[in-house]
Amino acid sequence: MKILGISAYYHDSAVAIINNGVVLCAAQEERFSRIKNDASFPELAIKYCLHETGFEIEDIDIIAFYDKPFLKFERLLETYYAFAPKGLKSFTKAMPLWLKEKLFIKQFINKKIKKLSASKSRNIPVTFPEHHLSHAASAFYTSPFKKCAYITVDGVGEWATTSYGIACGEKGIQVLGELHFPNSLGLLYSSFTYFLGFKVNSGEYKMMGLAPYGNPDSKNVNQFISIIKQHLVDIKQDGSIKLNMSYFEYPVGLRMVNPKTWEKLFGLKKRLPEEKLEQIHADLAYAAQKVTEEILVKLIQFVKIETNQANLCFSGGVALNCVANSVLYNQKIFNDIYIQPAAGDSGGALGAALATAYIGSRHLFEGLKEPFNPYLGPSYSNMEIEKVLHKHNCKYQYFESIDEVTKTTAKYIADKKVVGWFRGKTEFGPRALGNRSILADPTDADMQYTLNMKIKFREGFRPFAPVVCEEDYKDYFEESKKSLYMLFTSKVKKSLQKELPENFEAMSLEDKRKVVKSDLPAITHIDFSARVQVVTKTMNPVLWQLIQCYKKHTGIGVLINTSFNVKDEPIVNSPEDAYRCFMKSGMDILVMENYIIEK
């Protein structure tokens, strides 16, 4: 059975196609439209997935949409009614789109689909798994487990903001409990994101990166944690929460919180997006991160007792918080925790299709024997790449063998060059995993600043992730969860760490950033952590080979791996995207399949 999964209309619209339970392709609309976090109907991604699989629209048996629009509309109406007369402006803005498209999504999808058909196609049946079911299915049916506990934590689906239960290959996904809107851990975290001057639904990872700059022993941090617990959120022993809604505006407003109310509460002005970050902002981010971790630990302790399962699948936007994920893993409450690379709303397209394929069908899920492959998007031939290079009258080197490409690229990186690396299929999810990446030398103490300011054009405090071959992990990082998808953090090995100066906590954020913290300074965050991607020879053999070539040159088996994009743009998708990004940034080298371009 061929199923087309769709997520759309909130953020990170995406599409996936599966056939008889096997994932064939998946892609986010933003990669084609070039609109960051594009929420529109994913028409371009549908076209790609059909082309990739060779299917016509007529071949699709079922379309699966990642939530239930009528339930979501019910929540919207009930919320506006409960908070009336507040929210009139937000209500009048939301209603036209709901009444035009969202409420009649079945008809709207088939109308859009028919435009993609060469012939007069039939109406294709559309299923609507609940939002949290789509999230849970996206994790469980790409996991190595036959049976496990699951939790989903995000902003909000229809009504649920947190859910948990048992996922089983034979019986499907059993929901045991839910927490409902407006009480939401995801929206609590996003409220702090907003107050600290970052964009909601895309800036949460910036706040996560800022949090380690907070001083855990400072008066500010202790006071902020106390204020959060006393005034904003009541944390129950089972990990459920109750928010004090007098401090939040997101149920019916066009912003997360009233800045004046929060300014009075925290004694701190709301930061504007381009304002300088100070220590007090880092302290607040740290406090919010620690409260989030406390809630999640209580939640998985409760879920362990309730389900009595050995392993856990974690999904939803909150599962992209790799710092919290590592705290959960290191608690050793479950034997293992699995998170799929597109844990947020883009993965809902994949989960909707998988839920429709497996639940109530003859397909039996027994856990994947090999790790889930995240390389599910477009790839481009040498001929297509050469067309782009000729169009721009670009000089290049062409290499017949991939061995020559990796050897040459490794030497460039060893010579402190910054490389745009473009090959194979694009990654599904928000993180570049070595096919649409910027690669650089992790031993250069100035590289983190260079990448942030001259290449990515973003905040200087932002950390960079390392990529390491599986065999070499233990030489550079303390034992922790080894993540193929960059979803957990590890501490840099103690033997590689440098001693911090005595006055470190008194330094400014910028001065703290400049302190060399390890023998791999460009990938070592302020707390000696790193968001490590582990590469295996089977999952990404060319990247694995490149790292080994670099190791031969330098004796170091680690590279910086950051996404191939600049600030406020999606990760590059096509050769044209890659060339444009290369030319307008400070990158030195562009490698596209067998072609190497030197700036």
Side-chain angles (χ1 to χ4, degrees):
M1 180 177 284
K2 301 174 182 68
I3 302 172
L4 174 72
I6 297 174
S7 65
Y9 294 127
Y10 188 46
H11 57 90
D12 298 311
S13 295
V15 175
I17 290 181
I18 68 171
N19 187 18
N20 295 326
V22 177
V23 180
L24 302 182
C25 59
Q28 292 137 277
E29 184 71 1
E30 68 163 16
R31 304 296 170 86
F32 304 91
S33 69
R34 309 310 300 157
I35 300 169
K36 184 82 168 172
N37 304 123
D38 195 346
S40 62
F41 186 81
E43 191 170 335
L44 298 172
I46 291 173
K47 287 179 180 178
Y48 155 70
C49 285
L50 291 172
H51 179 267
E52 176 67 17
T53 57
F55 296 155
E56 301 289 340
I57 281 296
E58 291 75 14
D59 298 324
I60 299 298
D61 297 299
I62 297 175
I63 296 170
F65 191 74
Y66 81 134
D67 67 13
K68 292 184 179 291
F70 277 96
L71 265 183
K72 189 170 278 190
F73 189 62
E74 173 192 83
R75 187 250 302 166
L76 197 71
L77 291 179
E78 286 196 23
T79 303
Y80 279 122
Y81 179 75
F83 285 86
K86 290 182 181 178
L88 181 61
K89 188 176 179 181
S90 173
F91 181 80
T92 54
K93 187 176 179 180
M95 283 304 105
L97 187 59
W98 271 98
L99 296 175
K100 184 182 177 183
E101 293 180 9
K102 294 184 181 181
L103 203 54
F104 306 102
I105 191 69
K106 184 182 289 189
Q107 296 92 318
F108 182 78
I109 287 173
N110 269 297
K111 184 180 176 182
K112 285 281 190 182
I113 290 294
K114 284 180 180 180
K115 287 183 179 179
L116 302 176
S117 174
S119 61
K120 242 186 175 181
S121 64
R122 62 189 168 84
N123 278 345
I124 300 172
V126 182
T127 63
F128 297 92
E130 286 194 18
H131 186 93
H132 272 218
L133 176 61
S134 295
H135 274 314
S138 76
F140 176 60
Y141 293 114
T142 61
S143 79
F145 310 135
K146 291 183 180 180
K147 188 178 182 181
C148 67
Y150 81 86
I151 58 171
T152 294
V153 188
D154 62 2
V156 61
E158 295 85 4
W159 279 103
T161 60
T162 296
S163 59
Y164 76 93
I166 295 175
C168 175
E170 292 180 357
K171 298 179 181 179
I173 295 174
Q174 179 188 4
V175 182
L176 296 181
E178 292 181 340
L179 182 68
H180 284 180
F181 185 85
N183 297 303
S184 166
L185 178 56
L187 293 174
L188 174 65
Y189 200 86
S190 292
S191 295
F192 283 97
T193 301
Y194 169 79
F195 189 68
L196 286 167
F198 303 121
K199 189 176 179 182
V200 173
N201 291 328
S202 65
E204 283 77 5
Y205 58 91
K206 296 182 184 181
M207 191 176 91
M208 181 183 70
L210 177 63
Y213 282 87
N215 181 354
D217 300 320
S218 72
K219 182 180 176 182
N220 276 340
V221 164
N222 293 325
Q223 187 177 3
F224 287 154
I225 290 175
S226 178
I227 289 171
I228 293 168
K229 290 183 179 182
Q230 285 182 27
H231 297 280
L232 296 184
V233 56
D234 180 15
I235 305 170
K236 309 295 184 184
Q237 203 53 40
D238 61 1
S240 63
I241 60 173
K242 185 171 179 59
L243 300 183
N244 181 349
M245 295 314 300
S246 64
Y247 285 99
F248 299 90
E249 291 194 354
Y250 62 76
V252 291
L254 297 174
R255 56 189 180 180
M256 298 303 294
V257 303
N258 183 328
K260 290 182 180 178
T261 307
W262 275 45
E263 286 171 358
K264 186 177 178 182
L265 183 66
F266 289 105
L268 169 67
K269 282 193 73 67
K270 181 189 181 302
R271 178 179 166 269
L272 298 177
E274 300 306 320
E275 278 186 329
K276 184 181 177 182
L277 284 160
E278 304 286 356
Q279 183 62 50
I280 196 166
H281 299 122
D283 289 344
L284 183 58
Y286 180 90
Q289 177 70 28
K290 287 301 166 186
V291 171
T292 298
E293 292 166 7
E294 179 185 338
I295 293 166
L296 287 171
V297 168
K298 288 180 183 294
L299 175 63
I300 71 162
Q301 287 172 336
F302 172 76
V303 170
K304 172 67 176 179
I305 294 168
E306 288 287 295
T307 63
N308 195 30
Q309 295 299 306
N311 299 305
L312 175 72
C313 280
F314 186 18
S315 61
V318 174
L320 292 171
N321 190 315
C322 60
V323 178
N325 296 343
S326 296
V327 170
L328 298 183
Y329 179 79
N330 292 329
Q331 292 283 319
K332 300 300 180 187
I333 295 166
F334 288 93
N335 293 347
D336 197 9
I337 298 176
Y338 172 76
I339 304 167
Q340 62 95 359
D345 272 13
S346 59
L350 179 65
L354 289 167
T356 302
Y358 280 104
I359 297 172
S361 78
R362 57 187 173 79
H363 293 301
L364 178 65
F365 183 75
E366 297 186 298
L368 296 185
K369 301 297 181 281
E370 296 293 331
F372 175 67
N373 189 330
Y375 307 106
L376 295 167
S379 62
Y380 295 86
S381 68
N382 281 331
M383 185 180 293
E384 288 172 301
I385 291 166
E386 195 164 319
K387 280 182 182 178
V388 171
L389 298 179
H390 286 165
K391 171 186 167 183
H392 293 285
N393 195 26
C394 178
K395 292 181 181 179
Y396 59 83
Q397 291 177 279
Y398 175 79
F399 296 88
E400 289 290 344
S401 79
I402 199 62
D403 289 349
E404 286 302 310
V405 173
T406 54
K407 285 177 186 175
T408 305
T409 304
K411 188 168 188 319
Y412 276 125
I413 299 172
D415 291 340
K416 313 298 183 187
K417 302 291 187 185
V418 178
V419 174
W421 179 258
F422 177 106
R423 68 172 302 106
K425 288 176 166 290
T426 60
E427 305 89 336
F428 185 50
R431 310 242 160 95
L433 299 172
N435 281 10
R436 299 291 185 275
S437 291
I438 296 173
L439 305 175
D441 173 20
T443 66
D444 185 344
D446 296 324
M447 188 59 74
Q448 189 239 2
Y449 182 81
T450 300
L451 286 173
N452 271 327
M453 305 308 291
K454 297 182 180 181
I455 292 165
K456 302 281 278 186
F457 308 120
R458 67 185 199 181
E459 300 87 353
F461 73 86
R462 301 269 297 279
F464 286 100
V467 58
V468 63
C469 295
E470 183 180 36
E471 302 89 325
D472 297 329
Y473 173 93
K474 65 182 182 302
D475 295 334
Y476 303 99
F477 303 101
E478 298 291 340
E479 188 60 36
S480 186
K481 171 75 173 176
K482 298 178 182 68
S483 176
L484 300 174
Y485 314 123
M486 221 183 270
L487 285 168
F488 293 82
T489 62
S490 304
K491 294 285 186 182
V492 172
K493 206 169 182 69
K494 284 188 178 178
S495 59
L496 300 178
Q497 293 179 15
K498 306 278 189 189
E499 191 172 340
L500 299 177
E502 287 185 11
N503 65 334
F504 183 74
E505 289 300 347
M507 291 180 175
S508 68
L509 296 190
E510 180 59 16
D511 286 340
K512 284 180 179 178
R513 184 198 65 76
K514 290 177 182 176
V515 171
V516 174
K517 301 168 190 73
S518 80
D519 292 343
L520 303 171
I523 57 90
T524 306
H525 204 20
I526 191 169
D527 58 353
F528 301 106
S529 70
R531 190 181 67 192
V532 185
Q533 178 197 354
V534 174
V535 175
T536 65
K537 194 173 183 178
T538 52
M539 179 165 286
N540 197 325
V542 178
L543 180 61
W544 185 93
Q545 183 178 328
L546 173 62
I547 298 169
Q548 292 301 322
C549 286
Y550 176 76
K551 186 179 178 182
K552 285 180 183 177
H553 274 292
T554 64
I556 303 294
V558 179
L559 291 176
I560 294 173
N561 174 20
T562 187
S563 56
F564 196 157
N565 65 335
V566 294
K567 185 182 178 185
D568 298 327
E569 286 190 7
I571 296 172
V572 301
N573 189 31
S574 69
E576 182 70 28
D577 300 334
Y579 182 80
R580 287 177 185 273
C581 185
F582 171 64
M583 292 305 295
K584 72 181 182 183
S585 76
M587 275 179 273
D588 303 298
I589 306 294
L590 174 60
V591 182
M592 292 198 285
E593 297 292 348
N594 292 49
Y595 297 85
I596 297 183
I597 301 97
E598 186 172 1
K599 192 179 287 179

